[in-house]
Amino acid sequence: MDLRPTCHIDTYGCQMNENDSEILLAYLEELGYTWTDEVSEADVVMINTCCVRESAEDRAYGRLGELKALKAQRPELFIGVAGCMTQQPGVADAMAQRYPHVNLILGTHNLRRFPDLFSASRTRALPLVDVAAEPEEMPVFPRGVRQGGVSAWVTILRGCDKRCTYCIVPYVRGREMSRPVAEIVSEVEALVREGVREVTLLGQNVNAYGKDLPGGGINFATLLFALDEVDGLERIRYTTSHPRDFTQEMVEAIAQTRKVCEHFHVPVQSGANHMLRRMARGYTRERYVDLIERIRQAVPSASITTDLIVGFPGETEEDFQATLDLCKQLRFDKSYTFMYSPRKGTPAADFPEQIPLALKKERLARLIEVTDHLSRDANERAIGTEVEVLVEGISKKNAQRLMGRTRHNQPVVFPGDPAWAGELRRVRVLRTNTWTLGGEPL
Ligand code: SAH
Ligand code: SF4
Ligand code: F3S
């Protein structure tokens, strides 16, 4: 029986945050802890927060409230809060006041200090708050602990230098800092030695990779070519792309490399130039359409997915129609749709002409009707085709089936031998549900 103390980490937010949680777990394992799925049994519970929308914050606050009862039963329980929420002005201190049962409140810039802060805050009666200003240079982290599997996340740059008027990320994640190519390549090589076959390169804006690196001449395309050479690695994914920084050189690099998948997640946010300008996205609808056309020309089998915001301040019915119209024109394979959520400290939160909640909800529902229809169409087009699947293992929903993903990142369920985990298999697609494909191995 394993007698080591246990830890659990709840993650809200994007893949960058998921990757930070893996780094937190690496620190906790070094300190002798082992993972548990059960919050109620854990000796250490960390909450890694997100503040990109109000709904994400509400979930973290809800969790903190629930943990209060657990702490009352087990006073030795350690509770820590990390992530983007704590980095907003005044939030960490307010949290410490409202949730005195928390041991540690940690910002995004001092994750490196977690082991020291953990020891310092273990036995304190009141929360230890440590939210630092931005680091001068990119800190070096231990490699995150993955929960098994053939796929891993690799952060290539932190922060964001864009200032989209709705977005809180630049305020809580700081400016862009890239990791050196050699450091990323050696991390990927080490992952491959441990059985990883697919990496997803992470950054708020991966297309800005390298701009801050000394010497110049290094960009996202350079990095893709370097990683394409890693023996034993089968697939490279990346997220998120920014349309403004997506150069033709990068489009061609993706077309020329074998391992980089034909899936482009390129958030457009709105189809109306008037909205794009007010969001300060730095491109027009026409430039975005041109980018997608160039992608489809270079990579004819490309799958294109996007993010959309409805109800941004000043959005008229006509602006909203322009978004619906763009979706139909470009036929996105999948869209992530959001209602605009005002974030304190961002310019758009103070714009006049905020859209009433009821209208935002109505537009979101109308948008989802269109985007869901397009996604179903995209899945149906896959029926009868032969796809390359990276087998992840036994399906969670059906133990008689295997689960894997296509190069387009669509989940596929099919019968086969569990020993195929980690292998590439050809599968014929026979049917589709809304998000999952079903098929037979060839
Ligand atoms: N760096 C990435 C992802 C940012 S957050 C990018 O720039 O694309 C992921 C998505 O959340 C964004 O693309 C946007 O669609 C949405 N989002 C960001 N801030 C938001 C806000 N205040 N309200 C609603 N959605 C928002
Ligand atoms: Fe959330 Fe954005 Fe932070 Fe990711 S970077 S955790 S989406 S606020
Ligand atoms: Fe940056 Fe993306 Fe926002 S590029 S400013 S995080 S929407």
Side-chain angles (χ1 to χ4, degrees), residues 71 75 77-80 92-105 117-130:
K71 181 92 169 190
L77 171 68
F78 179 98
I79 302 173
D93 290 327
M95 212 182 247
Q97 290 256 319
R98 200 170 139 202
Y99 302 96
H101 59 288
V102 166
N103 294 71
L104 172 64
I105 298 176
L117 295 169
F118 178 73
S119 325
S121 60
R122 285 202 60 155
T123 53
R124 281 170 56 109
L126 286 173
L128 173 62
V129 175
D130 195 297

Side-chain angles (χ1 to χ4, degrees), residues 290-306:
D290 177 61
L291 170 66
I292 301 304
E293 283 170 356
R294 282 185 289 112
I295 290 173
R296 287 190 167 141
Q297 204 157 38
V299 186
S301 61
S303 148
I304 313 261
T305 61
T306 201

Side-chain angles (χ1 to χ4, degrees), residues 126-141:
L126 286 173
L128 173 62
V129 175
D130 195 297
V131 178
E134 288 188 52
E136 287 292 306
E137 52 192 71
M138 182 78 166
V140 178
F141 296 102

Side-chain angles (χ1 to χ4, degrees), residues 141-175:
F141 296 102
R143 186 144 51 79
V145 176
R146 294 171 309 114
Q147 307 279 12
V150 295
S151 187
W153 284 309
V154 177
T155 296
I156 62 167
L157 82 162
R158 293 184 162 258
C160 179
D161 284 356
K162 297 275 184 290
R163 292 271 159 149
C164 309
T165 53
Y166 53 81
C167 187
I168 190 90
V169 172
Y171 304 87
V172 294
R173 287 279 181 175
R175 67 200 158 82

Side-chain angles (χ1 to χ4, degrees), residues 14 51-54 159-160 162 164-169 203-206 239-243 265-269 281 306-310 312 336-343 346:
C14 61
C51 56
V52 80
R53 281 171 293 274
E54 194 179 346
C160 179
K162 297 275 184 290
C164 309
T165 53
Y166 53 81
C167 187
I168 190 90
V169 172
Q204 288 301 334
N205 172 4
V206 291
T239 199
T240 300
S241 295
H242 196 301
H265 181 64
V266 201
V268 65
Q269 315 298 0
R281 288 289 287 177
T306 201
D307 291 351
L308 299 160
I309 298 178
V310 297
F312 186 76
Y336 298 85
T337 52
F338 306 107
M339 251 192 310
Y340 170 66
S341 170
R343 306 285 67 211
T346 61

